[in-house]
Amino acid sequence: MAVSNQEFVYYHAGGKRGSRPVLRGAAAKDTFETIPLVDVSGLFSKDIADRKAVATEIGKACREVGFFYAANHDIPDDVISETFEAVKNFFSMPLEDKMEVHLHKSAALRGYEPLFETKMEGTGRGDMKEAFTIGDDPWEPEQHCPYQPSTEEPKRNSWPTAYPGFRPQIYDYYTRVLAFSRKLMQAFALALDLPENYFDAATSFPMVGVRILHYPPQERQDARDIGLGAHTDYSFFTLVQQENVAALQVLNANGIWIDAPPKPQTYVVNVGDFLSRITNNVFKSTVHRVLNKSGEERYSMPFFFSPDKAATLSTVPTCVGEGSIGEEKYEELNAGDYLMERLKAARWQHPSNQGKPPPRVQDVATAEVAAMA
Ligand SMILES: O=C(O)CCC(=O)C(=O)O
Ligand SMILES: [Fe+2]
């Protein structure tokens, strides 16, 4: 049997394991090599022409890359730096104070995840990061939920009792990023040639998550130690605030990792699987990973935005048709069920997973390479 020396990149995308051949030289395709930057200040204009001009640029980035830097957003620098201070205070607490809000105690998959608890790529000792997540919770008055939750509906978020100042700081950040996300969502609608308010009805109380992350410096300087394994996001879209340590990388069509270092006063915005799905893959949900080779502690805060739990979404009308767009590829689906399924797939140790084994990407990889030979 011939042995193929084709190199592959392995990842976790759309809830499934996948791989991509690394293409160099004559075999290389036309793909992105940098992450575009979009000045989003026009989204705050009263003039629809200004908003449409930004949307056009966002649309181009979403079709070609799936990632862009948003510059000139309206989240103040001091709110971001104060929130990062709170994030560092949180992670520097003793482990037992963090474990009080362990994600395994939460049916909504909220709370703290210690180092190596997830294993996005299915190999090695796991993702070298600790995380804490909160999100939409109709019981928390800070969120001004537009409906009265039923008494059967459990509370979703948990906050550490050892750090009372944490919650107000996170909420200051949350409230502002949510408002900015709504502007971006309208820009995505315009970018798809839809009315600006197209997604408004499906996002009256959107499923969101503020996730804070701490990546210690990796001991090994190659990808055998990984901060967060290669994946696509489950969200509609994500806004990542990174502090000052470069580690985020985005995979292009040639299987080459493109750096997405922090740029002052910007967000990294990326399309998630949900938005890609309802655009018939016209908008790309692009694989990315975190590799902290800097030798420094890295902190970041992704904000995930998705439709209402009860929303049912089907392919948008402007993304079905003739030619390059093609036939509708996906059935309509309930947003809440989809998100929960995806979150659980990445957290095999959660009690609700009933002891199912972790994903084993390397097995698939070996089989694929054998099939090519
Ligand atoms: O830490 C980062 O820069 C990105 C994190 C990320 O991709 C995620 O949490 O989905
Ligand atoms: Fe991500």
Short mmCIF file of all heavy atoms in Angstrom, two decimals, residues 147-180:
data_model
loop_
_atom_site.label_atom_id
_atom_site.label_comp_id
_atom_site.label_asym_id
_atom_site.label_seq_id
_atom_site.Cartn_x
_atom_site.Cartn_y
_atom_site.Cartn_z
N TYR A 147 -39.98 38.78 28.91
CA TYR A 147 -41.10 37.94 29.32
C TYR A 147 -40.91 37.48 30.77
O TYR A 147 -39.78 37.50 31.29
CB TYR A 147 -41.25 36.72 28.38
CG TYR A 147 -40.11 35.73 28.44
CD1 TYR A 147 -40.12 34.67 29.36
CD2 TYR A 147 -39.02 35.83 27.57
CE1 TYR A 147 -39.08 33.76 29.41
CE2 TYR A 147 -37.97 34.92 27.63
CZ TYR A 147 -38.01 33.89 28.54
OH TYR A 147 -36.98 32.99 28.61
N GLN A 148 -41.99 37.07 31.39
CA GLN A 148 -41.93 36.58 32.77
C GLN A 148 -41.61 35.09 32.71
O GLN A 148 -42.39 34.31 32.16
CB GLN A 148 -43.30 36.84 33.43
CG GLN A 148 -43.45 36.36 34.85
CD GLN A 148 -42.43 37.01 35.81
OE1 GLN A 148 -42.14 38.20 35.71
NE2 GLN A 148 -41.88 36.20 36.72
N PRO A 149 -40.46 34.67 33.26
CA PRO A 149 -40.15 33.24 33.16
C PRO A 149 -41.14 32.39 33.97
O PRO A 149 -41.65 32.84 34.99
CB PRO A 149 -38.74 33.14 33.76
CG PRO A 149 -38.55 34.39 34.55
CD PRO A 149 -39.44 35.43 33.96
N SER A 150 -41.38 31.19 33.47
CA SER A 150 -42.29 30.30 34.20
C SER A 150 -41.56 29.78 35.44
O SER A 150 -40.33 29.68 35.43
CB SER A 150 -42.74 29.15 33.30
OG SER A 150 -41.98 28.02 33.56
N THR A 151 -42.32 29.46 36.47
CA THR A 151 -41.70 29.05 37.73
C THR A 151 -40.92 27.74 37.56
O THR A 151 -40.03 27.44 38.34
CB THR A 151 -42.76 28.88 38.84
OG1 THR A 151 -43.86 28.17 38.28
CG2 THR A 151 -43.21 30.21 39.38
N GLU A 152 -41.27 26.96 36.52
CA GLU A 152 -40.51 25.72 36.28
C GLU A 152 -39.13 25.98 35.65
O GLU A 152 -38.28 25.11 35.63
CB GLU A 152 -41.26 24.79 35.32
CG GLU A 152 -42.35 24.00 35.96
CD GLU A 152 -43.68 24.29 35.29
OE1 GLU A 152 -43.83 23.95 34.11
OE2 GLU A 152 -44.54 24.89 35.97
N GLU A 153 -38.98 27.16 35.08
CA GLU A 153 -37.73 27.44 34.36
C GLU A 153 -36.59 27.66 35.37
O GLU A 153 -36.66 28.58 36.18
CB GLU A 153 -37.92 28.70 33.52
CG GLU A 153 -37.17 28.66 32.23
CD GLU A 153 -37.46 29.87 31.36
OE1 GLU A 153 -38.63 30.09 30.98
OE2 GLU A 153 -36.51 30.59 31.06
N PRO A 154 -35.55 26.83 35.34
CA PRO A 154 -34.48 27.01 36.34
C PRO A 154 -33.61 28.23 36.04
O PRO A 154 -33.50 28.65 34.89
CB PRO A 154 -33.66 25.72 36.22
CG PRO A 154 -33.98 25.15 34.90
CD PRO A 154 -35.29 25.72 34.42
N LYS A 155 -32.99 28.73 37.07
CA LYS A 155 -32.02 29.81 36.91
C LYS A 155 -30.82 29.25 36.14
O LYS A 155 -30.48 28.08 36.30
CB LYS A 155 -31.61 30.27 38.31
CG LYS A 155 -30.91 31.56 38.32
CD LYS A 155 -30.67 32.09 39.71
CE LYS A 155 -29.85 33.36 39.62
NZ LYS A 155 -28.79 33.35 38.60
N ARG A 156 -30.22 30.06 35.30
CA ARG A 156 -29.14 29.51 34.46
C ARG A 156 -27.74 29.87 34.94
O ARG A 156 -26.83 29.08 34.84
CB ARG A 156 -29.32 30.01 33.02
CG ARG A 156 -30.64 29.51 32.44
CD ARG A 156 -30.85 30.00 31.01
NE ARG A 156 -32.28 29.96 30.70
CZ ARG A 156 -32.84 30.56 29.68
NH1 ARG A 156 -32.12 31.25 28.84
NH2 ARG A 156 -34.14 30.47 29.48
N ASN A 157 -27.54 31.08 35.39
CA ASN A 157 -26.18 31.51 35.75
C ASN A 157 -25.85 31.22 37.20
O ASN A 157 -26.73 31.20 38.06
CB ASN A 157 -26.01 33.02 35.53
CG ASN A 157 -26.06 33.39 34.05
OD1 ASN A 157 -25.76 32.57 33.20
ND2 ASN A 157 -26.46 34.62 33.77
N SER A 158 -24.56 31.04 37.48
CA SER A 158 -24.08 30.93 38.87
C SER A 158 -22.92 31.89 39.02
O SER A 158 -22.06 31.97 38.14
CB SER A 158 -23.54 29.54 39.16
OG SER A 158 -24.39 28.56 38.68
N TRP A 159 -22.87 32.55 40.15
CA TRP A 159 -21.81 33.55 40.40
C TRP A 159 -21.02 33.13 41.63
O TRP A 159 -21.59 32.63 42.60
CB TRP A 159 -22.44 34.93 40.63
CG TRP A 159 -23.16 35.43 39.43
CD1 TRP A 159 -24.49 35.27 39.14
CD2 TRP A 159 -22.60 36.16 38.34
NE1 TRP A 159 -24.80 35.86 37.93
CE2 TRP A 159 -23.66 36.41 37.42
CE3 TRP A 159 -21.32 36.63 38.03
CZ2 TRP A 159 -23.46 37.11 36.23
CZ3 TRP A 159 -21.12 37.33 36.85
CH2 TRP A 159 -22.18 37.57 35.95
N PRO A 160 -19.72 33.39 41.65
CA PRO A 160 -18.90 32.98 42.80
C PRO A 160 -19.19 33.85 44.03
O PRO A 160 -19.10 35.08 43.94
CB PRO A 160 -17.47 33.22 42.30
CG PRO A 160 -17.60 34.24 41.22
CD PRO A 160 -18.95 34.08 40.61
N THR A 161 -19.52 33.22 45.14
CA THR A 161 -19.85 34.02 46.34
C THR A 161 -18.61 34.73 46.89
O THR A 161 -18.72 35.76 47.53
CB THR A 161 -20.47 33.14 47.45
OG1 THR A 161 -19.73 31.93 47.54
CG2 THR A 161 -21.91 32.83 47.18
N ALA A 162 -17.40 34.19 46.60
CA ALA A 162 -16.18 34.79 47.16
C ALA A 162 -15.82 36.12 46.50
O ALA A 162 -14.91 36.81 46.95
CB ALA A 162 -15.02 33.80 47.00
N TYR A 163 -16.51 36.49 45.41
CA TYR A 163 -16.12 37.69 44.68
C TYR A 163 -17.37 38.49 44.27
O TYR A 163 -17.77 38.50 43.11
CB TYR A 163 -15.31 37.27 43.45
CG TYR A 163 -14.71 38.40 42.63
CD1 TYR A 163 -14.72 39.73 43.07
CD2 TYR A 163 -14.13 38.14 41.40
CE1 TYR A 163 -14.19 40.74 42.30
CE2 TYR A 163 -13.58 39.14 40.62
CZ TYR A 163 -13.62 40.44 41.09
OH TYR A 163 -13.09 41.44 40.32
N PRO A 164 -17.97 39.22 45.22
CA PRO A 164 -19.23 39.91 44.93
C PRO A 164 -19.12 41.02 43.89
O PRO A 164 -20.09 41.34 43.20
CB PRO A 164 -19.65 40.49 46.29
CG PRO A 164 -18.55 40.22 47.26
CD PRO A 164 -17.56 39.29 46.63
N GLY A 165 -17.91 41.61 43.73
CA GLY A 165 -17.77 42.71 42.76
C GLY A 165 -17.71 42.24 41.32
O GLY A 165 -17.77 43.05 40.38
N PHE A 166 -17.64 40.95 41.13
CA PHE A 166 -17.47 40.39 39.79
C PHE A 166 -18.74 40.58 38.93
O PHE A 166 -18.67 41.03 37.79
CB PHE A 166 -17.15 38.91 39.97
CG PHE A 166 -16.81 38.16 38.72
CD1 PHE A 166 -15.80 38.60 37.87
CD2 PHE A 166 -17.47 36.98 38.41
CE1 PHE A 166 -15.47 37.88 36.73
CE2 PHE A 166 -17.15 36.26 37.27
CZ PHE A 166 -16.15 36.72 36.43
N ARG A 167 -19.86 40.25 39.52
CA ARG A 167 -21.13 40.29 38.77
C ARG A 167 -21.44 41.68 38.18
O ARG A 167 -21.70 41.79 36.98
CB ARG A 167 -22.25 39.77 39.67
CG ARG A 167 -23.63 39.84 39.04
CD ARG A 167 -24.62 39.05 39.87
NE ARG A 167 -25.98 39.27 39.39
CZ ARG A 167 -27.02 38.53 39.72
NH1 ARG A 167 -26.88 37.51 40.53
NH2 ARG A 167 -28.22 38.80 39.24
N PRO A 168 -21.38 42.76 38.98
CA PRO A 168 -21.68 44.07 38.37
C PRO A 168 -20.70 44.45 37.26
O PRO A 168 -21.12 45.05 36.25
CB PRO A 168 -21.59 45.06 39.54
CG PRO A 168 -21.14 44.30 40.73
CD PRO A 168 -21.24 42.83 40.44
N GLN A 169 -19.44 44.08 37.41
CA GLN A 169 -18.47 44.43 36.36
C GLN A 169 -18.76 43.65 35.08
O GLN A 169 -18.76 44.20 33.98
CB GLN A 169 -17.04 44.15 36.84
CG GLN A 169 -15.97 44.57 35.85
CD GLN A 169 -16.00 46.07 35.53
OE1 GLN A 169 -16.05 46.89 36.44
NE2 GLN A 169 -15.98 46.41 34.25
N ILE A 170 -19.04 42.38 35.22
CA ILE A 170 -19.35 41.57 34.03
C ILE A 170 -20.63 42.10 33.37
O ILE A 170 -20.73 42.18 32.15
CB ILE A 170 -19.46 40.06 34.39
CG1 ILE A 170 -18.10 39.51 34.84
CG2 ILE A 170 -20.02 39.24 33.22
CD1 ILE A 170 -17.01 39.47 33.77
N TYR A 171 -21.59 42.49 34.18
CA TYR A 171 -22.84 43.02 33.59
C TYR A 171 -22.65 44.35 32.88
O TYR A 171 -23.34 44.64 31.90
CB TYR A 171 -23.97 43.09 34.63
CG TYR A 171 -24.81 41.85 34.55
CD1 TYR A 171 -24.94 40.99 35.61
CD2 TYR A 171 -25.44 41.51 33.35
CE1 TYR A 171 -25.68 39.82 35.50
CE2 TYR A 171 -26.18 40.35 33.22
CZ TYR A 171 -26.30 39.51 34.30
OH TYR A 171 -27.03 38.36 34.17
N ASP A 172 -21.74 45.17 33.37
CA ASP A 172 -21.47 46.43 32.68
C ASP A 172 -21.00 46.10 31.26
O ASP A 172 -21.47 46.67 30.26
CB ASP A 172 -20.41 47.23 33.46
CG ASP A 172 -20.21 48.63 32.87
OD1 ASP A 172 -21.09 49.09 32.12
OD2 ASP A 172 -19.16 49.24 33.17
N TYR A 173 -20.08 45.15 31.19
CA TYR A 173 -19.54 44.74 29.89
C TYR A 173 -20.63 44.09 29.03
O TYR A 173 -20.85 44.46 27.87
CB TYR A 173 -18.38 43.76 30.13
CG TYR A 173 -17.71 43.33 28.86
CD1 TYR A 173 -16.92 44.22 28.14
CD2 TYR A 173 -17.88 42.05 28.35
CE1 TYR A 173 -16.32 43.84 26.95
CE2 TYR A 173 -17.29 41.67 27.17
CZ TYR A 173 -16.51 42.56 26.47
OH TYR A 173 -15.94 42.19 25.28
N TYR A 174 -21.31 43.14 29.60
CA TYR A 174 -22.37 42.35 28.92
C TYR A 174 -23.40 43.26 28.24
O TYR A 174 -23.74 43.09 27.06
CB TYR A 174 -23.02 41.52 30.02
CG TYR A 174 -24.12 40.57 29.64
CD1 TYR A 174 -23.89 39.20 29.64
CD2 TYR A 174 -25.42 41.00 29.39
CE1 TYR A 174 -24.89 38.30 29.36
CE2 TYR A 174 -26.43 40.11 29.10
CZ TYR A 174 -26.16 38.76 29.09
OH TYR A 174 -27.16 37.87 28.81
N THR A 175 -23.90 44.22 29.01
CA THR A 175 -24.97 45.09 28.51
C THR A 175 -24.51 45.87 27.29
O THR A 175 -25.24 46.02 26.30
CB THR A 175 -25.39 46.04 29.65
OG1 THR A 175 -25.60 45.26 30.81
CG2 THR A 175 -26.65 46.80 29.32
N ARG A 176 -23.28 46.36 27.34
CA ARG A 176 -22.77 47.16 26.22
C ARG A 176 -22.48 46.29 24.99
O ARG A 176 -22.77 46.68 23.86
CB ARG A 176 -21.49 47.88 26.62
CG ARG A 176 -21.71 48.94 27.68
CD ARG A 176 -20.37 49.38 28.23
NE ARG A 176 -20.49 50.16 29.43
CZ ARG A 176 -20.59 51.48 29.47
NH1 ARG A 176 -20.62 52.17 28.35
NH2 ARG A 176 -20.67 52.10 30.62
N VAL A 177 -21.90 45.11 25.22
CA VAL A 177 -21.57 44.26 24.07
C VAL A 177 -22.84 43.71 23.43
O VAL A 177 -22.91 43.55 22.22
CB VAL A 177 -20.61 43.11 24.46
CG1 VAL A 177 -20.20 42.30 23.25
CG2 VAL A 177 -19.37 43.67 25.10
N LEU A 178 -23.85 43.47 24.24
CA LEU A 178 -25.12 43.01 23.68
C LEU A 178 -25.72 44.09 22.76
O LEU A 178 -26.17 43.79 21.65
CB LEU A 178 -26.09 42.64 24.81
CG LEU A 178 -27.47 42.18 24.38
CD1 LEU A 178 -27.39 40.95 23.46
CD2 LEU A 178 -28.34 41.84 25.60
N ALA A 179 -25.68 45.33 23.21
CA ALA A 179 -26.23 46.42 22.39
C ALA A 179 -25.45 46.54 21.07
O ALA A 179 -26.05 46.68 19.99
CB ALA A 179 -26.19 47.73 23.17
N PHE A 180 -24.15 46.44 21.15
CA PHE A 180 -23.33 46.51 19.92
C PHE A 180 -23.62 45.30 19.01
O PHE A 180 -23.71 45.43 17.78
CB PHE A 180 -21.85 46.60 20.31
CG PHE A 180 -20.91 46.57 19.13
CD1 PHE A 180 -21.11 47.40 18.03
CD2 PHE A 180 -19.82 45.71 19.11
CE1 PHE A 180 -20.25 47.37 16.94
CE2 PHE A 180 -18.95 45.68 18.02
CZ PHE A 180 -19.17 46.50 16.94
#
